[in-house]
Amino acid sequence: MILTKEHLLDLIDELPKNVEFDYVKPGKNKAKLLDVDRIVNRIEMARIVTDTNEETSSFLNDDNLQIIVDSVRENKPFSIDKIFNNGGNTRSVWESVIANTSEFYKCMVGRNKNLVWMPTKKKPIGSVLEISIAEIPNSYTDENLSVESIRKEFEFFLFNCVKSSRGANNIFGTLSDSAVKSYLSMLDQRENAPTKLFDYNPKKWNHIDNIYQIIDSKQAEKLFKDLLSDPDFIKRDNENNQGWRSGALNLFILFLRAKRLFTNNILRNNRTVVIDVNNQSYRPYITAIKSKPFLLLAGISGTGKSRIVRELARACWEEGSEEYKAQKPKNFAMIQVKPNWHDSSELIGYVSRVSGEPVYVAGDFLKFIAKAWENLDVPHFLCLDEMNLAPVEQYFAEYLSVIESRKNENGEIVTDAIIEKCVEQWYFDLTAKLTTNDEVRTRFMNEGIAIPQNLIVVGTVNMDETTFSFSRKVLDRAMTIEMNEVDLEGGLDKKYESIGKLGAAELIGNAVEGVDVYADNKGVCDRVIDYLKAINGELEGTPFKVAYRTRNEFLLYVVNNLPYNKDENGEDIAQEVVMARALDEITCMKILSRIEGDTEKIGDLLDRLKEVIKKQLNEISSGKEYSGTKDKEGTEYAVSLAKLKEMKNRLKSGYTSFWS
């Protein structure tokens, strides 16, 4: 059985309101349920200190509820403190209210209190009952196995990857058996006793059951930093000039770093994209996003531009799940652009000094950035509706700069900060408002607020007399797709788009520059470069000539399309045809979208481009049909050639551009 937010809310809503409940850990404090708001999924609770009757409210919001249900498994002990990476009065109130429902029990794992969800074993509501591990079917096996496997991997790392400088004649040699055992003994958990690592102050570290449960190197580094700032630990560690405790933890951090680097390299080089026949018609959107997570959807009003963004977000969830059926999945946000926007204050925010002390007022875009950081495994879509109602270069300047700072660091795409860290109080308060996730907040405090790799920005564009045109600065940074096709019979037989399941592998690219894909796809990339050279030959002497940024995005887009080698019927498509199709599409996105001007400026450029594109695509596809449509003369009719024909017709009025 899977726990849902609705079910958890039902369980909590069954509890009587304004009644004092026992804490999971007995003491002077009591918990009280004040209100359950089913509209916004928010629970109001209170902590009561019985000695003074002092009452302090706290709220369990929709996002935190989602974190809980994502972490809880049937018959599997869990810790609220670990789910939210810390303890405190607020967490204890949440834990106690949940423990008083009919399906949650208290469970001790070692010396640490946990809860366990047992929907098949109901208990009276309003009571905290304890159950032993032995009474829980299939309770802790998986956890023990995972901890033991990490421990064995670390032992292998010590024996085979770590060198010692204490060998004869100072020659580096492998660690001795006794050295490995000494390091392991510092970290191993002993039954009903603290680890040697923490034996100087076990109460301070009792939220850690086993060091091998920490598999994130940054979390281990934070722990190491905390320990090294503790005089008691340093004193104990330096006894007899040993340093075994700090040495063991430092080696464990090195092991986690190596494990992460190796895993990320494997994922980056062998990433498998599962191609669903259903999403073939959405392939240009999917591969454009993977190549550059900044997409412009252009076209006449009412063609479903904003809807497709919502449906792509919906496709990141399992069909039939709560988020899939939601009107607005939690990984989707829409912001309506206003004509009076001339800076980033509405989107990102601003420092207000109205009250005397500076306070940062966060914009919706900044709030959504924080939300994406809290769930990096799920692609998050931000839709800027009617993006060109205001000048994009002005209200979106910070993003346009930061998106170009993307780089791959050990398999993770990182950017410069869109808000730099600082030591001002307003920044400290801002990070607290943006997230309750301690790991995310620590990142913000240490590195500033940057763009997460799972954030996808999509702007919808209508070109008319009320809108602004795009500068080449914007167009060079975005992938542009036109949506002028209208199927009046579509969308009448089903509520949602048939995109198929999308995950991080399909939408989040690990490659940022051409160098990231060139070595593994040299033949394909060289042919793309030859194509661009031919195009640039016709663009020579014009402001439309392409450079390195466009070259990189051509390489990424073509390589990202290579796995899509099936047609709508599941039949194989030759790689040459896949390449030609991708080049045809990105020619529209990145080259034709930049061309505009009058008859004098354009001259015969459109005709020359048409000939060179047609020749190149036919050569690449070995003369095979790759487009599926033909003109009246039966000639291959690619989307780029169709757009050039449209632009040529528009030039008869004296001026032309890509935009309809």
Side-chain angles (χ1 to χ4, degrees), residues 163-337:
K163 301 294 183 180
S164 171
S165 59
R166 298 186 180 184
N169 301 320
N170 247 357
I171 298 174
F172 283 82
T174 56
L175 293 181
S176 65
D177 289 357
S178 61
V180 171
K181 289 178 181 177
S182 294
Y183 281 129
L184 291 174
S185 70
M186 292 297 117
L187 304 186
D188 281 343
Q189 173 75 47
R190 295 174 294 163
E191 187 175 358
N192 297 321
T195 62
K196 290 186 179 180
L197 178 64
F198 307 118
D199 62 3
Y200 71 98
N201 190 353
K203 290 184 178 179
K204 185 173 181 179
W205 307 105
N206 63 6
H207 61 287
I208 299 175
D209 291 335
N210 194 306
I211 194 69
Y212 300 118
Q213 289 176 332
I214 300 177
I215 59 174
D216 178 66
S217 59
K218 291 185 178 179
Q219 186 181 354
E221 286 166 11
K222 181 180 182 300
L223 174 63
F224 197 23
K225 184 178 179 181
D226 290 342
L227 287 170
L228 293 181
S229 65
D230 189 325
D232 290 340
F233 174 77
I234 295 173
K235 179 181 178 181
R236 182 64 62 90
D237 190 42
N238 288 336
E239 287 177 354
N240 301 320
N241 197 29
Q242 293 296 309
W244 284 106
R245 293 169 177 80
S246 59
L249 185 54
N250 193 39
L251 286 172
F252 186 62
I253 291 170
L254 292 176
F255 159 71
L256 292 177
R257 285 177 181 167
K259 181 180 176 67
R260 177 173 178 265
L261 178 61
F262 176 77
T263 302
N264 284 336
N265 282 335
I266 292 296
L267 289 173
R268 184 170 72 247
N269 295 327
N270 299 288
R271 226 167 165 164
T272 301
V273 178
V274 180
I275 307 301
D276 191 324
V277 172
N278 285 337
N279 67 38
Q280 287 290 350
S281 57
Y282 301 93
R283 173 191 51 77
Y285 306 96
I286 295 167
T287 52
I289 288 168
K290 189 171 184 178
S291 304
K292 186 77 169 284
F294 181 26
L295 185 63
L296 301 181
L297 298 182
I300 61 175
S301 181
T303 52
K305 295 185 291 296
S306 57
R307 173 181 167 82
I308 192 63
V309 187
R310 188 188 301 259
E311 293 303 305
L312 286 168
R314 187 188 311 283
C316 296
W317 305 97
E318 293 291 344
E319 188 169 348
S321 67
E322 177 187 354
E323 294 300 334
Y324 185 89
K325 294 183 291 185
Q327 167 66 14
K328 186 172 80 71
K330 70 176 183 179
N331 62 326
F332 171 79
M334 178 181 287
I335 298 177
Q336 306 278 347
V337 174

Side-chain angles (χ1 to χ4, degrees), residues 349-630:
Y350 59 94
V351 177
S352 171
R353 290 179 168 81
V354 173
S355 61
E357 294 295 326
V359 175
Y360 197 96
V361 180
D364 290 339
F365 181 45
L366 193 63
K367 294 175 183 176
F368 194 68
I369 286 175
K371 191 174 182 180
W373 271 116
E374 291 175 342
N375 198 352
L376 287 171
D377 294 332
V378 178
H380 279 60
F381 289 80
L382 176 78
C383 180
L384 289 174
D385 201 29
E386 304 285 359
M387 187 180 192
N388 57 331
L389 278 178
V392 179
E393 301 84 352
Q394 295 179 24
Y395 74 80
F396 216 34
E398 290 90 342
Y399 177 83
L400 294 176
S401 296
V402 167
I403 192 67
E404 288 308 298
S405 69
R406 296 169 71 239
K407 59 183 176 181
N408 188 316
E409 288 190 354
N410 300 326
E412 179 183 2
I413 306 302
V414 299
T415 73
D416 293 343
I418 200 165
I419 295 185
E420 298 286 348
K421 68 175 182 179
C422 70
V423 296
E424 301 290 337
Q425 183 65 36
W426 66 259
Y427 184 76
F428 181 85
D429 295 339
L430 171 64
T431 61
K433 291 177 183 176
L434 288 176
T435 181
T436 58
N437 184 304
D438 287 345
E439 185 176 348
V440 173
R441 190 180 179 200
T442 299
R443 179 189 282 265
F444 289 170
M445 293 298 296
N446 292 338
E447 304 172 13
I449 302 173
I451 303 296
Q453 66 179 11
N454 63 328
L455 179 68
I456 298 157
V457 176
V458 184
T460 67
V461 179
N462 291 321
M463 283 294 183
D464 57 37
E465 65 279 359
T466 68
T467 61
F468 290 83
S469 60
F470 289 107
S471 68
R472 279 192 286 277
K473 175 182 179 179
V474 176
L475 295 175
D476 282 351
R477 286 161 170 75
M479 309 292 281
T480 303
I481 297 180
E482 269 201 307
M483 291 181 61
N484 283 328
E485 297 288 331
V486 178
D487 178 10
L488 295 178
E489 296 179 349
L492 298 176
D493 58 347
K494 56 191 175 183
K495 186 174 181 181
Y496 307 123
E497 298 286 341
S498 299
I499 297 178
K501 179 69 169 66
L502 296 177
E506 288 86 1
L507 289 166
I508 302 175
N510 281 80
V512 176
E513 300 177 291
V515 68
D516 297 330
V517 297
Y518 184 80
D520 293 332
N521 303 275
K522 188 175 184 301
V524 171
C525 291
D526 285 343
R527 190 64 188 90
V528 173
I529 292 170
D530 289 341
Y531 175 86
L532 275 176
K533 286 179 179 177
I535 298 291
N536 248 3
E538 301 302 330
L539 297 176
E540 190 68 48
T542 74
F544 314 123
K545 187 176 179 180
V546 300
Y548 301 115
R549 182 188 292 122
T550 301
R551 178 207 64 187
N552 287 339
E553 288 166 8
F554 261 75
L555 295 177
L556 296 176
Y557 186 79
V558 173
V559 169
N560 285 334
N561 265 279
L562 293 179
Y564 289 82
N565 57 0
K566 304 283 185 183
D567 63 18
E568 295 179 356
N569 299 315
E571 300 294 329
D572 289 339
I573 304 174
Q575 186 181 78
E576 301 91 344
V577 175
V578 174
M579 286 177 58
R581 181 180 63 185
L583 284 169
D584 175 25
E585 292 165 349
I586 196 169
T587 298
C588 266
M589 295 180 192
K590 301 301 299 182
I591 295 178
L592 302 189
S593 62
R594 302 166 73 249
I595 296 176
E596 62 178 357
D598 56 20
T599 306
E600 182 178 348
K601 183 178 182 180
I602 299 298
D604 64 347
L605 176 62
L606 301 182
D607 290 328
R608 289 186 282 115
L609 281 176
K610 179 179 179 181
E611 290 306 313
V612 72
I613 291 171
K614 186 174 182 179
K615 178 184 177 183
Q616 289 291 319
L617 293 182
N618 276 325
E619 288 179 358
I620 290 169
S621 65
S622 303
K624 300 171 185 174
E625 181 182 343
Y626 60 87
S627 150
T629 59
K630 296 176 181 294

Side-chain angles (χ1 to χ4, degrees), residues 3-17:
L3 182 64
T4 64
K5 277 193 290 191
E6 285 80 6
H7 187 62
L8 182 56
L9 283 165
D10 287 342
L11 291 174
I12 294 174
D13 211 3
E14 290 175 351
L15 295 171
K17 310 298 188 295

